[in-house]
């Protein structure tokens, strides 16, 4: 059979059918694709924001530890010579207590870096959004505080705070060791509550006065963090002459946290993907019913020379058209919403609040209590300024193909019955 003939019959069946099931099936697949794209985009936004904050600020992509501090410069040059390595920044960190004007004490993780750390590590600098001041550690007495930590301490730029390390106080002979005063030079926000609430940066030279037992670590950033295994292998070859050095990847840090995020995303894929199974069953039932209604037509097609495969292709093509149309519509709407999530949710809030205001007017006249305004992901409950969204191309392609192939598979399975129809049996009494 010619392809043009199959297309003619398939389009005639789907556009001049006797039910609205194709429309419902297209809408079902479109809703499924749209929902999955938007949900996964928002989930990616939250997850990648957390992951990038951890990797760019805290753990780095690679870490070099347990090395002779006198050879720090040599090791930096070696690591920077590895293709793909963008920066190698030394740092020290320790636990301390901070004291401001209005509070007694607050636990804080203090990281000591060089004054040019922001210039050397552009990725870290991009994650530190300064609400006041800037990354300024040229003065050894300067300190940079997380926004929530500054609020807790009641500190603003220019205020003095005191940092003291318990380890430094206990191990020092001088009673003034382990305790230093600093001037707040900047207040930053990362979007990750743990860092905003309990992190501070000081100049590396000041760390020894607070805690002389903290180890020196070389934090390394690479262009593509997923190429870490290849870069680790190259770096270890170049570091072969150095004994006792520990070189590890970001995959070794927060393994359980990253694993939990990956599992959460997988199950969300599965749960929302059930929509396609339901829609696929709907398409299967609709196609099977169409086969039964058109037994005489199918018998006639077979009698005039149509092969089993040609007749079956008509119904498979119908399923494919339904799947492609639904997945295409869902893809377009999903990308439009996912790319404008703040505007979308702002619109929802305005619509819902308009209804609430109308209800409040009626309730006020009737003497009932008033309802409060509605907010999606309210900042009073969630630690976010706006809802993040991140669209990943290969995931969008997978979602589109899932919607398309579910309809195609349903059409193929349902068309099996059409292929088995014998012309003689159908046309015996015609």
């Amino acid at each position: 059979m010619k392809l043009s003939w199959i297309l003619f019959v398939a389009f005639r069946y789907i556009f001049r059918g006797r039910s609205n099931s194709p429309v419902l099936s297209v809408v079902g697949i479109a809703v499924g694709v749209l929902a999955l794209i938007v949900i996964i985009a928002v989930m990616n936004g939250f997850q990648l924001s957390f992951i990038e904050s951890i990797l760019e600020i805290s753990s780095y992509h690679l870490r070099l530890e347990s090395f002779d501090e006198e050879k720090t410069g040599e090791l930096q040059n070696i690591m920077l010579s590895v293709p793909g390595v963008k920066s190698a920044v030394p740092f020290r960190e320790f636990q301390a207590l901070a004291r401001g004007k209005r509070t007694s004490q607050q636990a804080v993780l203090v990281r000591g870096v060089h004054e040019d750390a922001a210039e050397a590590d552009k990725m870290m600098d991009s994650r530190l959004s300064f609400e006041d001041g800037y990354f300024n550690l040229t003065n050894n007495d300067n300190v940079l505080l997380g926004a929530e930590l500054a609020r807790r301490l009641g500190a603003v730029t220019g205020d003095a705070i005191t940092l003291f390390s318990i380890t430094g106080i206990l191990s020092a002979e001088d009673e003034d060791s382990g305790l230093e005063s600093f001037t707040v030079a900047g207040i930053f926000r990362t979007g990750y509550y743990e860092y905003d609430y309990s992190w501070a940066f000081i100049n590396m030279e000041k760390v020894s006065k607070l805690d002389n037992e903290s180890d020196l670590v070389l934090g390394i950033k690479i262009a593509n963090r997923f190429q870490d295994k290849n870069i680790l292998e190259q770096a270890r070859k170049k570091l072969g002459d150095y004994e006792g050095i520990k070189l590890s990847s970001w995959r070794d840090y927060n393994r359980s946290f990253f694993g939990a995020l990956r599992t959460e995303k997988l199950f969300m894929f599965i749960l929302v993907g059930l929509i396609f199974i339901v829609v696929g069953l709907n398409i299967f039932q609709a196609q099977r019913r169409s086969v039964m209604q058109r037994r005489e037509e199918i018998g006639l097609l077979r009698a005039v020379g149509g092969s089993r495969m040609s007749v079956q292709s008509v119904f498979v093509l119908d399923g494919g058209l339904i799947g492609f149309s639904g997945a295409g519509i869902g893809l377009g709407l999903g990308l439009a919403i996912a790319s404008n999530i703040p505007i979308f949710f702002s619109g929802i809030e305005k619509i819902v609040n308009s209804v609430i205001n109308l209800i409040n007017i009626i309730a006020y006249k009737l003497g009932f209590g008033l309802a409060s305004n509605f907010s999606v992901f309210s900042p009073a409950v969630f630690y976010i300024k706006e809802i993040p969204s991140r669209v990943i191309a290969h995931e969008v392609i997978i979602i589109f193909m899932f919607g398309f192939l579910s309809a195609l598979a349903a059409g193929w399975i349902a068309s099996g019955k059409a292929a088995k129809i014998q012309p003689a049996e159908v046309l015996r009494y015609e």
Side-chain angles (χ1 to χ4, degrees):
M1 300 291 290
K2 293 183 179 180
L3 179 61
S4 59
W5 189 89
I6 297 173
L7 289 172
F8 171 78
V9 176
F11 276 97
R12 185 179 180 84
Y13 279 177
I14 196 169
F15 291 114
R16 297 189 182 182
R18 285 166 277 185
S19 69
N20 61 351
S21 55
V23 176
L24 295 177
S25 298
V26 168
V27 171
I29 291 178
V31 170
V33 171
L34 183 153
L36 196 50
I37 287 176
V38 173
I39 290 172
I40 295 301
V42 173
M43 181 172 285
N44 285 337
F46 281 112
Q47 291 189 354
L48 291 177
S49 177
F50 293 152
I51 290 173
E52 288 172 0
S53 292
I54 291 172
L55 297 183
E56 305 301 346
I57 299 174
S58 176
S59 69
Y60 289 84
H61 298 159
L62 305 177
R63 277 194 178 194
L64 188 64
E65 302 172 86
S66 303
F67 56 86
D68 186 352
E69 296 184 9
E70 295 180 357
K71 297 181 179 179
T72 303
E74 295 178 22
L75 294 173
Q76 276 186 281
N77 293 332
I78 291 174
M79 293 306 303
L80 289 172
S81 68
V82 177
V85 173
K86 293 295 184 181
S87 64
V89 178
F91 68 90
R92 299 179 188 269
E93 62 183 18
F94 60 93
Q95 295 289 338
L97 294 176
R99 178 181 297 165
K101 292 180 179 179
R102 305 172 193 169
T103 57
S104 54
Q105 295 173 358
Q106 175 68 31
V108 58
L109 186 144
V110 180
R111 172 166 290 188
V113 295
H114 290 307
E115 60 184 60
D116 61 347
E119 297 179 5
D121 188 357
K122 296 294 185 181
M123 297 179 183
M124 179 192 72
D125 187 43
S126 66
R127 298 298 303 181
L128 298 176
S129 176
F130 280 87
E131 296 185 346
D132 195 10
Y134 59 99
F135 195 100
N136 178 16
L137 295 178
T138 53
N139 189 329
N140 290 352
D141 294 328
N142 284 352
V143 63
L144 310 176
L145 299 179
E148 296 301 317
L149 175 60
R151 183 181 61 81
R152 176 70 175 169
L153 295 173
V156 296
T157 304
D159 285 353
I161 68 166
T162 302
L163 292 177
F164 52 98
S165 167
I166 301 299
T167 304
I169 293 174
L170 294 177
S171 62
E173 296 179 359
D174 185 355
E175 60 180 8
D176 293 329
S177 296
L179 187 149
E180 291 287 333
S181 294
F182 293 86
T183 301
V184 179
I187 297 175
F188 63 85
R189 188 178 294 275
T190 66
Y192 192 41
Y193 185 76
E194 180 183 349
Y195 301 154
D196 295 345
Y197 184 77
S198 61
W199 269 57
F201 289 90
I202 64 173
N203 193 293
M204 177 86 79
E205 296 180 7
K206 204 73 171 182
V207 175
S208 59
K209 295 183 179 180
L210 283 164
D211 191 322
N212 56 12
E213 295 185 4
S214 57
D215 295 328
L216 184 64
V217 180
L218 200 59
I220 300 159
K221 298 289 181 63
I222 58 181
N224 183 353
R225 69 173 184 265
F226 297 106
Q227 297 293 326
D228 57 308
K229 293 182 179 179
N230 181 39
I231 292 177
L232 274 176
E233 184 178 344
Q234 296 182 55
R236 282 171 178 154
K237 290 180 180 178
K238 293 194 173 188
L239 295 171
D241 296 335
Y242 295 87
E243 298 181 357
I245 288 180
K246 179 183 177 183
L247 183 62
S248 51
S249 164
W250 62 269
R251 298 177 194 272
D252 301 320
Y253 299 96
N254 304 291
R255 184 182 297 272
S256 59
F257 178 69
F258 292 158
L261 292 180
R262 185 168 55 251
T263 303
E264 179 187 20
K265 188 173 180 179
L266 175 62
F267 274 94
M268 186 60 69
F269 249 113
I270 294 172
L271 290 175
V272 182
L274 292 175
I275 295 175
F276 297 127
I277 296 177
V278 174
V279 175
L281 290 174
N282 177 271
I283 295 172
F284 169 74
Q285 292 295 340
Q287 292 289 69
R288 194 170 71 165
R289 185 169 59 251
S290 178
V291 170
M292 297 305 297
Q293 291 174 348
R294 293 185 168 91
R295 282 175 57 84
E296 292 81 3
E297 298 175 20
I298 294 171
L300 183 60
L301 292 175
R302 292 293 312 281
V304 297
S307 64
R308 290 186 176 185
M309 183 60 69
S310 298
V311 174
Q312 189 173 8
S313 298
V314 171
F315 295 94
V316 173
L317 187 58
D318 280 351
L321 288 171
I322 292 171
F324 186 82
S325 301
I329 294 171
L331 176 65
L333 293 175
L335 290 176
I337 295 174
S339 301
N340 300 279
I341 283 291
I343 299 174
F344 175 74
F345 280 108
S346 177
I348 292 178
E349 288 179 4
K350 289 180 180 178
I351 294 171
V352 174
N353 285 330
S354 298
V355 175
I356 291 175
N357 291 335
L358 179 62
I359 294 173
N360 284 338
I361 294 173
I362 298 172
Y364 178 75
K365 292 182 177 181
L366 296 176
F368 295 106
L370 302 180
S372 59
N373 282 349
F374 168 78
S375 177
V376 180
F377 293 108
S378 170
V381 179
F382 300 93
Y383 188 69
I384 53 174
K385 288 187 174 181
E386 64 178 21
I387 300 169
S389 175
R390 196 79 64 88
V391 177
I392 299 177
H394 72 269
E395 292 182 350
V396 172
I397 294 172
I398 290 173
I399 293 170
F400 175 85
M401 294 305 298
F402 204 100
F404 171 66
L405 293 177
S406 64
L408 193 66
W412 173 263
I413 296 171
S415 66
K417 198 170 186 67
K420 296 178 182 178
I421 294 177
Q422 297 296 328
E425 293 180 4
V426 175
L427 302 176
R428 180 179 300 171
Y429 301 107
E430 294 297 323

